[in-house]
């Protein structure tokens, strides 16, 4: 067992104060291990990281990640590692940045600690100093039974727990089922993109929570609060479940750049209702470090999903479409436009007759001279007719109840177009597409 | 020729001015043998921007790319089509899926992006190109919008970064403007064929035009006005196609 404990470096207004902020910190810690324990009374968070070292590519890179995440959240903590949670807590309080990876190292590091990091009761503290004991090493050198009679049993038990002589069962933090965290902005924010800095903290917290639950989210709801009741809601939907800080951040950035705030923002909340189980992906057996792109196909698919998410975030939902052909003889219905996430079926039966690559949204009426259709001069008909009868059964609009004779025609500029003549009521020529 | 000179000429980064440059960048076949023969590296370049200058839509400017797109999508490559929403709806319309599918393009690998603003078209193209997840982008700019050389340079840089191929459809009048794109072709209709003039390529300029036999929906020789005039104006059974 290897315990990493975080203790506020300077207990001030920036260090976590409320149970909610401690819970948010625990969620973030889930990024490194699901074995997290909170000690709000002791103002500390501990995590058991022995099982996570390989995943992060060794202790130094894990610690580096922890430090950079803390810097991102603008938090200042002292870190210490030891073989028991209590020892790592004491070492963290001392603030020397001790890294003891085994029991022997822990024991050595504990020797020089000043006694106040144990935070004993005032009377125990008074007694210890009256004995002339200043360092923890001085205390550990004394017979334990004598200490118990003079300083009380609790104090001696604590020592034994710190040394790993007796069990110190931790109370594991239970990761909540839904994610909902709120942060107050240090100052009112008028321009939406500025929110990204604050949002980053919430994203880091969220990804920790997701990692601890081995989950990924498809939809995030951001609530930008302007006052007690007024807020702007921003919903981010992803084409594939996401769990990485960078990906969420990039999509959010595009959305915030388009957003105009109706009033200054005072606080920000991130809510996630539903999560999906993350796709299993084992790291390499021999490479030691995982987390890289596992294969070309996988990495490519992720990169594409990210690109599409950014398209919809910046350009709006309707701007990105997928096309699929639909077995319908009416040209207007033969192309289906679907959202980016849709599954595309390639198997639709196609018409045996040529179809134009571009189809106009609405057929445009053509001028006529002597009954001949004109488009920058007279059109030459090359092939046709292909009669297409509209599905009157499909809709009750008059417009769709038509019979059309389609022709392939060439205009004076040698452009190939698809034109038709309506047979019913007002006959006339229309252009409907281009053989581009 | 002495051996030292021969050794220098054998280097891949040295090309002689009288030959087409051997493109160091990978290429993919256009599907037209006579065009491939004139393109540096023997096909459309990957990692570079190719400009296609044309006067009007409907001359076969898209059909020129269809064989390559069919092959790319069949191999799993992703194709992104980008055009401003407004000009797409007023100028030439929207891609008609059955026609693209009939040409062999796998639609499940195709994305259609139609931003409202021209600026966003450029943004989307740059992002698609440089991410590395997309193999080809086709960008149509509205007939009224002219790109500056700087815009074109950004597209070329993005294609280079993502090793993707980019095709830019531009109005023919932009041919006079200098461009950072290494390959520029002018397209014109010539009956049922497509005339291609290579305005710019790496290496020797090409002095003659190419005449490519592209897929056309009908043959040229049939004039069916007579048929059209004799069509029954009353409801009837579907007719058969003449050509």
């Amino acid at each position: 067992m290897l315990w990493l404990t975080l203790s506020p470096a300077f207990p001030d207004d920036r260090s976590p104060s409320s149970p909610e902020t401690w819970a948010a910190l625990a969620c973030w810690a889930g990024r490194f291990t699901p074995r997290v324990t909170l000690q709000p009374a002791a103002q500390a968070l501990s995590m058991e990281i022995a099982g996570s070292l390989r995943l992060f590519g060794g202790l130094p890179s894990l610690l580096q990640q922890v430090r950079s995440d803390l810097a991102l959240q603008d938090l200042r903590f002292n870190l210490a590692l030891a073989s028991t949670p209590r020892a790592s807590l004491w070492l963290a309080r001392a603030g020397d940045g001790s890294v003891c990876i085994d029991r022997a190292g822990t024991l050595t590091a504990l020797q020089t600690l000043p006694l106040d990091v144990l935070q004993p009761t005032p009377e125990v503290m008074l007694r210890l100093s009256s004995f002339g004991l200043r360092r923890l090493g001085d205390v550990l050198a004394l017979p334990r039974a004598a200490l118990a009679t003079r300083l009380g049993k609790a104090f001696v038990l604590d020592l034994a727990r710190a040394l790993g002589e007796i069990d110190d069962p931790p109370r594991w933090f239970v990761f909540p089922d839904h994610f909902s965290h709120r942060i107050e902005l240090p100052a009112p924010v008028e321009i939406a993109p500025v929110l990204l800095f604050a949002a980053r903290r919430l994203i880091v917290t969220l990804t920790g929570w997701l990692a601890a639950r081995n989950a990924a989210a498809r939809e995030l709801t951001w609530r930008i609060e302007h006052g007690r009741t007024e807020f702007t809601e921003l919903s981010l939907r992803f084409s594939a479940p996401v769990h990485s800080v960078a990906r969420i951040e990039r999509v959010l950035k595009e959305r915030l750049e388009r957003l105009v705030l109706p009033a200054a923002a005072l606080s920000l909340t991130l809510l996630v209702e539903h999560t999906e189980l993350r796709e299993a992906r084992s790291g390499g057996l021999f490479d030691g470090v995982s987390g890289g792109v596992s294969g070309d196909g996988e990495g490519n698919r992720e990169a594409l999903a990210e690109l599409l998410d950014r398209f919809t975030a910046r350009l709006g939902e309707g701007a990105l479409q997928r096309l699929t052909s639909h077995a319908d003889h009416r040209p207007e219905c033969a192309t289906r436009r679907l959202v980016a996430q849709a599954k595309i079926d390639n198997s639709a039966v196609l018409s045996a007759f040529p179809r134009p690559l571009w189809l106009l949204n609405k057929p445009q009426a053509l001028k006529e001279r002597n009954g001949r259709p004109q488009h920058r001069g007279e059109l030459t008909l090359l092939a046709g007719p292909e009669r297409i009868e509209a599905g009157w059964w499909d809709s009750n609009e008059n417009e769709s109840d038509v019979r059309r004779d389609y022709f392939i025609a060439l205009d004076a500029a040698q452009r190939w177009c698809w034109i038709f003549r309506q047979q019913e009521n007002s006959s006339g020529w229309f252009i409907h597409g281009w053989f581009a | 020729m002495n051996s030292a000179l021969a050794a220098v000429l054998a280097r891949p980064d040295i090309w002689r001015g009288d030959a087409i440059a051997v493109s160091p960048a990978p290429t993919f076949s256009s599907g037209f043998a006579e065009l491939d023969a004139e393109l540096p590296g023997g096909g459309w370049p990957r990692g570079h921007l190719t400009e296609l200058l044309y006067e009007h839509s409907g001359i076969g400017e898209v059909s020129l790319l269809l064989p390559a797109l069919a092959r790319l999508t069949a191999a799993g490559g992703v194709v992104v089509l980008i055009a401003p929403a407004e000009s797409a709806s007023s100028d030439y319309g929207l891609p008609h899926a059955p026609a693209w599918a009939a040409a062999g393009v796998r639609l499940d690998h195709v994305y259609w992006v139609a931003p409202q603003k021209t600026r966003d078209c450029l943004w989307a193209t740059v992002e698609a190109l440089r991410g590395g997840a997309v193999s080809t982008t086709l960008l149509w700019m509205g007939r009224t919008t002219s790109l500056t050389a700087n815009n074109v340079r950004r597209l070329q840089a993005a294609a280079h970064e993502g090793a993707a191929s980019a095709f830019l459809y531009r109005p023919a009048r932009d041919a006079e403007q200098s461009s950072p794109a290494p390959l520029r072709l002018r397209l014109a209709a010539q009956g049922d064929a497509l005339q291609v003039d290579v305005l710019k390529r790496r290496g020797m300029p090409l002095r003659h035009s190419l005449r490519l036999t592209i897929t056309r929906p009908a043959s040229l020789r049939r004039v069916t006005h007579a048929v059209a005039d004799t069509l029954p104006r009353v409801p009837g059974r579907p007719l058969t196609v003449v050509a």
Side-chain angles (χ1 to χ4, degrees):
Chain A
M1 299 256 262
L2 186 58
W3 289 87
L4 171 63
T5 295
L6 277 61
S7 159
F10 316 102
D12 61 7
D13 54 338
R14 265 194 301 179
S15 52
S17 49
S18 65
E20 286 79 31
T21 47
W22 277 105
L25 198 69
C27 281
W28 157 75
R31 172 157 193 212
F32 302 98
T33 168
R35 291 149 72 88
V36 177
T37 160
L38 272 185
Q39 303 157 53
Q43 288 277 300
L45 177 149
S46 300
M47 43 183 151
E48 205 281 301
I49 56 166
S52 311
L53 295 179
R54 206 177 107 87
L55 180 67
F56 283 84
L59 185 58
S61 60
L62 185 142
L63 286 178
Q64 197 185 351
Q65 188 66 58
V66 171
R67 289 206 177 93
S68 73
D69 275 10
L70 287 172
L72 198 70
Q73 300 176 73
D74 197 22
L75 293 171
R76 286 191 216 167
F77 276 92
N78 285 331
L79 272 58
L81 276 142
S83 56
T84 64
R86 202 160 296 251
S88 69
L89 170 65
W90 291 350
L91 290 166
R93 279 188 190 145
D96 304 331
S98 315
V99 175
C100 317
I101 53 165
D102 53 13
R103 257 183 93 166
T106 306
L107 194 58
T108 318
L110 288 176
Q111 300 294 327
T112 55
L113 282 187
L115 284 170
D116 57 335
V117 299
L118 277 64
Q119 294 187 355
T121 55
E123 66 195 70
V124 170
M125 191 65 209
L126 203 65
R127 249 188 226 171
L128 284 168
S129 50
S130 72
F131 297 158
L133 303 173
R134 309 267 289 282
R135 305 261 154 202
L136 190 53
D138 304 339
V139 178
L140 293 176
L142 297 174
R144 223 54 79 76
L147 281 177
T149 43
R150 301 215 167 128
L151 300 169
K153 214 170 167 193
F155 180 77
V156 178
L157 282 177
D158 276 357
L159 287 181
R161 287 188 186 116
L163 295 174
E165 291 165 354
I166 58 170
D167 262 1
D168 190 3
R171 282 180 50 200
W172 299 119
F173 174 73
V174 181
F175 290 88
D177 285 340
H178 304 291
F179 185 88
S180 166
H181 279 286
R182 177 168 174 272
I183 50 173
E184 300 283 343
L185 301 172
V189 169
E190 308 272 353
I191 311 158
V194 177
L195 288 170
L196 193 65
F197 296 99
R200 199 175 283 150
R201 283 180 66 167
L202 287 171
I203 297 172
V204 168
T205 309
L206 172 72
T207 51
W209 176 76
L210 286 171
R213 297 167 55 90
N214 191 32
R218 212 181 259 278
E219 187 172 353
L220 314 183
T221 308
W222 295 88
R223 197 171 284 167
I224 303 161
E225 285 123 352
H226 309 296
R228 198 162 290 176
T229 53
E230 211 186 324
F231 62 83
T232 306
E233 205 166 87
L234 193 68
S235 163
L236 290 188
R237 267 186 290 277
F238 294 85
S239 52
V242 288
H243 55 79
S244 95
V245 177
R247 224 181 121 189
I248 298 172
E249 203 182 301
R250 276 198 286 263
V251 173
L252 179 66
K253 184 166 172 268
E254 300 294 353
R255 274 295 285 277
L256 288 178
E257 273 170 13
R258 284 199 307 155
L259 186 73
V260 177
L261 293 176
L266 303 176
S267 62
L268 189 62
T269 304
L270 173 58
L271 302 151
V272 175
E273 278 289 314
H274 304 288
T275 58
E276 294 171 30
L277 207 58
R278 212 181 276 190
E279 263 178 55
R281 200 169 90 189
S282 352
L285 183 58
F286 300 109
D287 57 9
V289 184
S290 81
V293 177
S294 66
D296 242 350
E298 176 82 12
N300 216 34
R301 215 170 340 131
E302 268 183 32
L304 180 65
E306 196 208 313
L307 177 73
L308 301 178
D309 287 338
R310 284 165 58 212
F311 278 175
T312 32
R314 170 150 169 174
L315 309 174
E317 294 272 341
L320 172 68
Q321 292 172 336
R322 305 193 73 182
L323 311 167
T324 182
S325 50
H326 180 61
D328 193 313
H329 62 284
R330 291 164 296 169
E332 284 91 341
C333 308
T335 300
R336 289 253 160 111
R337 286 158 211 295
L338 304 169
V339 291
Q341 295 91 328
K343 285 250 183 300
I344 298 297
D345 180 16
N346 285 317
S347 64
V349 184
L350 302 171
S351 158
F353 304 119
R355 288 286 179 266
L357 288 163
W358 296 112
L359 193 74
L360 297 177
N361 269 1
K362 255 188 125 163
Q364 287 166 15
L366 292 172
K367 283 192 198 115
E368 268 176 62
R369 189 175 298 159
N370 305 328
R372 300 278 160 92
Q374 310 284 313
H375 187 263
R376 301 166 192 234
E378 187 164 310
L379 284 168
T380 315
L381 300 191
L382 296 178
E386 179 194 350
R387 173 156 295 181
I388 294 175
E389 301 199 37
W392 49 266
W393 55 86
D394 211 40
S395 120
N396 50 10
E397 287 170 46
N398 285 337
E399 221 175 293
S400 70
D401 185 12
V402 286
R403 251 173 223 98
R404 294 168 177 175
D405 287 321
Y406 276 89
F407 290 85
I408 294 161
L410 199 60
D411 77 0
Q414 309 223 38
R415 311 168 71 189
W416 295 67
C417 48
W418 205 39
I419 60 173
F420 67 81
R421 185 165 61 180
Q422 203 132 310
Q423 288 297 335
E424 299 284 287
N425 42 58
S426 65
S427 65
W429 288 92
F430 292 84
I431 181 166
H432 204 179
W434 296 104
F435 293 93
Chain B
M1 194 189 296
N2 68 35
S3 62
L5 181 57
V8 167
L9 287 178
R11 287 173 49 147
D13 52 346
I14 299 287
W15 61 272
R16 293 176 59 163
D18 60 347
I20 319 177
V22 176
S23 171
T27 58
F28 55 102
S29 169
S30 70
F32 301 96
E34 57 275 53
L35 180 60
D36 283 351
E38 300 300 343
L39 295 178
W44 298 122
R46 255 183 240 280
H48 290 290
L49 174 69
T50 300
E51 281 186 18
L52 303 170
L53 299 128
Y54 71 125
E55 196 74 55
H56 301 291
S57 186
I59 57 167
E61 76 280 4
V62 176
S63 304
L64 173 68
L65 295 182
L66 286 179
L69 295 184
R71 217 167 296 172
L72 274 178
T73 52
V78 174
V79 173
V80 180
L81 314 174
I82 304 168
E86 193 203 313
S87 78
S89 59
S90 63
D91 277 7
Y92 33 77
L94 298 166
H96 188 48
W100 293 73
V105 177
R106 276 192 53 178
L107 291 173
D108 53 341
H109 288 76
V110 175
Y111 294 88
W112 165 245
V113 183
Q116 298 296 334
K117 296 182 206 139
T118 315
R119 212 184 42 170
D120 281 339
C121 288
L122 287 172
W123 172 82
T125 313
V126 166
E127 293 301 312
L129 285 172
R130 70 182 206 197
V134 171
S135 37
T136 302
T137 62
L138 276 61
L139 170 64
W140 287 265
M141 293 309 285
R143 206 171 297 154
T144 48
T145 11
S146 274
L147 293 180
T148 63
N150 217 8
N151 289 335
V152 179
R153 189 168 295 115
R154 278 177 55 208
L155 296 177
Q156 160 67 14
H160 196 73
E161 191 181 334
S165 59
F167 294 93
L168 168 64
Y169 284 101
R170 302 183 74 175
R173 62 164 192 272
D174 288 351
E176 273 81 63
Q177 200 181 313
S178 79
S179 160
L183 184 60
R184 305 183 81 193
L185 309 180
R186 184 169 51 209
L187 315 178
Q190 203 188 69
D192 54 359
L194 185 70
Q195 179 186 319
V196 177
D197 293 297
V198 181
L199 300 181
K200 179 184 175 187
R201 64 173 175 179
R202 294 227 158 113
M204 281 273 285
L206 182 67
R207 302 206 190 282
H208 62 275
S209 314
L210 301 171
R211 192 172 188 279
L212 302 183
T213 316
I214 51 167
T215 313
R216 295 283 73 185
S219 75
L220 267 181
R221 275 175 300 281
R222 188 95 44 168
V223 180
T224 50
H225 273 297
V227 183
D229 290 340
T230 58
L231 283 179
R233 291 295 184 118
V234 290
R237 283 168 294 136
L239 303 172
T240 47
V241 164
V242 187

